[in-house]
Amino acid sequence: MQYRGLLALCAGSIALTGVSAQTETERVATQFLKPWERPKSYFEPPPVYPKYKKYGKKHWQKITFFTPKSPGPHPVVIALGGVGSDWFPYRLVEAGYALAVLPNVNAPWPKPEETIGNFTDGISYLRDHAAELNIDPENTALFGGQTAALLATDPEFLTSAGIPFDSVRAAVIPESKAFDLPAQAAESDYLKNWYSRIYGKDQARLVRFSAASHVQKPNAPAFLFMASKDFKEATEQSTKMAQMLAEQGTDARFVELPAFLPKARNTYFLAEPEGSGKELIPFLNEVLGSSKVEPRP
């Protein structure tokens, strides 16, 4: 499954048992087959079975939660809206991280306050049930698009919900292009109309909910921006946002993902340890530590 920033978790089981690694002979024999001609397991990760935790009154407010079998408490990656790759849960659990996937608001044109409130409710649930879930609530990373970037740059959104801002140790922002909302609205009538439906016509609200408006410290200690080589706008905007944060003294990095090639498995996000997204796990090990590596200082 190609990561294109859609951030939708594939339904179904995603276990650390089952599929064995391909031999080099098997890899060569299958790499030139059309996708529908390859063995089904060729693109699919070994399954990792989630638990579902309800955190709100709405029927859709359920956290999809994955946890390693290693002793905890585990650092936790909190995905806001989805993960975008079938391989993402497997790679995180394999590396010793818990993963909590929070759903988007199930409503047309939700206001930013609704979106942020839904996510902070989910994060609060994780903190309140940390012992039950065997996670370390003070050692978390956010994963997602513009909302993840916003929550990791402006402390007020989390602290006003009773969530300590310093519990967020990092943010991973893949394939996003919406960091400077006022600038984008000024350059595109289409985006101006689109944003007015979400944020209203008050320019101050665009500034308020724009991550680029909050690059001054305090920020989360570390950011990893990722965008595909063939997704030009996301690459440009992610590079710019990383530079803005770095200029303020924040550890912010940009990684260009390889252009997606359907016949090359290593361009599927996290499908290969040395393929697309290979920088993610080392980044998390550095800024969070896991149950399988030395904890962060």
Side-chain angles (χ1 to χ4, degrees):
M1 177 180 180
Q2 180 193 8
Y3 197 103
R4 295 297 283 164
L6 298 180
L7 299 177
L9 180 66
C10 183
S13 63
I14 299 182
L16 296 179
T17 61
V19 181
S20 59
Q22 278 192 317
T23 66
E24 184 61 23
T25 300
E26 290 170 333
R27 186 182 306 280
V28 171
T30 58
Q31 66 178 338
F32 297 111
L33 294 177
K34 296 180 175 63
W36 57 87
E37 295 174 333
R38 293 172 179 166
K40 187 175 182 181
S41 62
Y42 190 80
F43 292 107
E44 295 182 354
V48 183
Y49 299 103
K51 298 178 180 179
Y52 299 95
K53 300 293 182 178
K54 188 165 178 54
Y55 65 93
K57 296 181 180 179
K58 303 296 177 83
H59 68 90
W60 48 266
Q61 288 185 302
K62 295 179 181 179
I63 298 172
T64 306
F65 184 75
F66 303 86
T67 186
K69 294 182 179 179
S70 54
H74 305 108
V76 58
V77 175
I78 304 172
L80 307 184
V83 296
S85 167
D86 294 345
W87 283 91
F88 191 87
Y90 174 75
R91 292 296 179 207
L92 259 65
V93 170
E94 177 187 49
Y97 295 95
L99 170 63
V101 185
L102 308 185
N104 285 313
V105 173
N106 187 9
W109 302 101
K111 299 301 181 186
E113 292 87 352
E114 296 176 88
T115 297
I116 292 170
N118 170 57
F119 289 145
T120 55
D121 285 350
I123 296 171
S124 294
Y125 175 92
L126 293 171
R127 295 183 60 81
D128 293 342
H129 295 81
E132 170 195 341
L133 298 172
N134 197 20
I135 60 174
D136 179 358
E138 307 304 326
N139 199 16
T140 68
L142 300 181
F143 178 93
Q146 70 179 87
T147 303
L150 180 62
L151 296 186
T153 53
D154 188 341
E156 184 178 340
F157 292 109
L158 292 178
T159 57
S160 63
I163 301 167
F165 185 65
D166 61 5
S167 65
V168 176
R169 305 300 305 164
V172 178
I173 315 296
E175 305 280 41
S176 185
K177 57 181 182 179
F179 303 115
D180 192 341
L181 305 182
Q184 290 181 311
E187 295 173 358
S188 167
D189 288 339
Y190 172 80
L191 288 177
K192 181 178 180 180
N193 292 333
W194 180 277
Y195 290 157
S196 68
R197 296 188 66 175
I198 300 173
Y199 302 98
K201 296 184 178 181
D202 185 355
Q203 183 75 3
R205 281 178 59 78
L206 269 188
V207 174
R208 178 75 185 94
F209 293 105
S210 175
S213 302
H214 307 286
V215 294
Q216 297 81 8
K217 288 188 174 183
N219 295 311
F223 288 75
L224 178 62
F225 295 87
M226 312 178 87
S228 301
K229 186 175 183 180
D230 51 346
F231 193 179
K232 182 178 179 180
E233 191 171 3
T235 296
E236 291 176 351
Q237 295 300 321
S238 295
T239 301
K240 182 178 179 181
M241 185 67 183
Q243 290 174 342
M244 292 172 66
L245 285 165
E247 288 171 0
Q248 298 297 321
T250 297
D251 179 359
R253 318 169 194 183
F254 171 74
V255 169
E256 184 179 79
L257 303 176
F260 176 63
L261 300 173
K263 294 182 179 180
R265 178 172 171 169
N266 65 0
T267 65
Y268 285 72
F269 191 66
L270 296 179
E272 296 284 0
E274 294 303 317
S276 179
K278 64 183 179 182
E279 299 85 359
L280 176 63
I281 298 301
F283 172 78
L284 293 176
N285 289 345
E286 178 183 341
V287 299
L288 295 184
S290 80
S291 54
K292 292 190 175 183
V293 299
E294 291 295 322
R296 66 177 175 82

